[in-house]
Amino acid sequence: VFHLFRRRRKLLFLPAVIVTVLSGVGAYMLPNRYESSTTILVQRDEILNPLISFEMAVTMASEDRLRTFNEIIYSRTTIRRLMDSLGLSVDLKTEDERQGLVTALSHNITTERRGSDSFRITYVDTDPVRAQKAAAFLSNLFITTVVTVEGQRNERAVEFFEKKLDDLREKFEHSQKQMVSL
């Protein structure tokens, strides 16, 4: 065995040296990729739809949140605002270049649902500061968008119920006047 090893040592060491050198060169030539992530906790709705069962209402609310989360994060408006905040759209002259950058940035963003009420946004970039700023910007934008939309939804619900209350008050007063006149 020792004699066989001495005769074949070039065949044993040469592939190991070649693989090591190729791996070192490959690692040196690859660009550095930095990943920054942020986790967002979303408060559950206190009032669920009373017309459906509790389990179904909870499931629908969770699915709606995830769909809303992805639609907000991956929307072209959000990605364009991200481009502007990172200063990447300064050198772009044509709309095709902007669309290409929007596509490239959307591939750098990863979203993940961590639980029933938490989401993670991950941004990967070659610059660590830019990756951190992008993740923070996306999370802040998502939070402000959700708060704004929920505020508008609540205001419209209040307006709707006030209108219904006024309609019921008018009907009650009308029926009361009829009863008094009888």
Side-chain angles (χ1 to χ4, degrees):
V1 171
F2 185 72
H3 182 63
L4 181 69
F5 178 72
R6 259 187 18 215
R7 280 191 311 174
R8 307 265 189 228
R9 81 179 141 192
K10 289 182 183 176
L11 293 176
L12 293 175
F13 290 120
L14 187 63
V17 169
I18 291 174
V19 168
T20 304
V21 169
L22 286 177
S23 298
V25 169
Y28 180 74
M29 292 181 65
L30 286 175
N32 292 334
R33 305 286 289 176
Y34 299 96
E35 181 177 296
S36 179
S37 63
T38 226
T39 302
I40 301 171
L41 299 174
V42 179
Q43 183 179 359
R44 288 184 175 211
D45 291 337
E46 295 296 325
I47 301 172
L48 298 173
N49 190 348
L51 302 176
I52 56 178
S53 70
F54 178 75
E55 293 84 17
M56 185 182 238
V58 170
T59 305
M60 287 177 56
S62 297
E63 289 175 7
D64 286 345
R65 276 198 196 112
L66 181 62
R67 187 173 34 252
T68 303
F69 177 71
N70 284 333
E71 286 177 4
I72 291 172
I73 296 299
Y74 288 111
S75 71
R76 291 207 182 273
T77 307
T78 300
I79 294 177
R80 283 183 182 240
R81 288 176 67 181
L82 176 65
M83 285 173 23
D84 292 340
S85 72
L86 296 177
L88 299 174
S89 61
V90 175
D91 299 335
L92 303 177
K93 295 182 178 26
T94 66
E95 190 62 31
D96 291 337
E97 290 176 347
R98 288 179 193 206
Q99 291 299 330
L101 186 58
V102 165
T103 305
L105 287 180
S106 67
H107 290 300
N108 289 347
I109 301 169
T110 307
T111 58
E112 177 185 3
R113 181 176 172 190
R114 303 291 290 185
S116 64
D117 51 355
S118 67
F119 302 99
R120 173 173 277 180
I121 300 172
T122 305
Y123 189 82
V124 179
D125 202 341
T126 56
D127 181 18
V129 174
R130 190 167 50 203
Q132 180 190 17
K133 285 182 181 179
F137 177 81
L138 289 172
S139 65
N140 289 335
L141 184 66
F142 173 74
I143 291 168
T144 56
T145 303
V146 167
V147 167
T148 303
V149 166
E150 285 184 3
Q152 290 174 351
R153 183 182 69 184
N154 292 340
E155 288 175 6
R156 289 191 179 137
V158 167
E159 289 174 5
F160 172 77
F161 286 122
E162 284 177 347
K163 186 185 278 187
K164 283 296 184 187
L165 184 63
D166 290 340
D167 290 345
L168 289 174
R169 185 178 296 128
E170 287 177 12
K171 286 181 182 179
F172 176 74
E173 289 174 357
H174 180 40
S175 66
Q176 193 176 25
K177 284 181 185 178
Q178 284 181 347
M179 290 298 279
V180 168
S181 67
L182 287 175

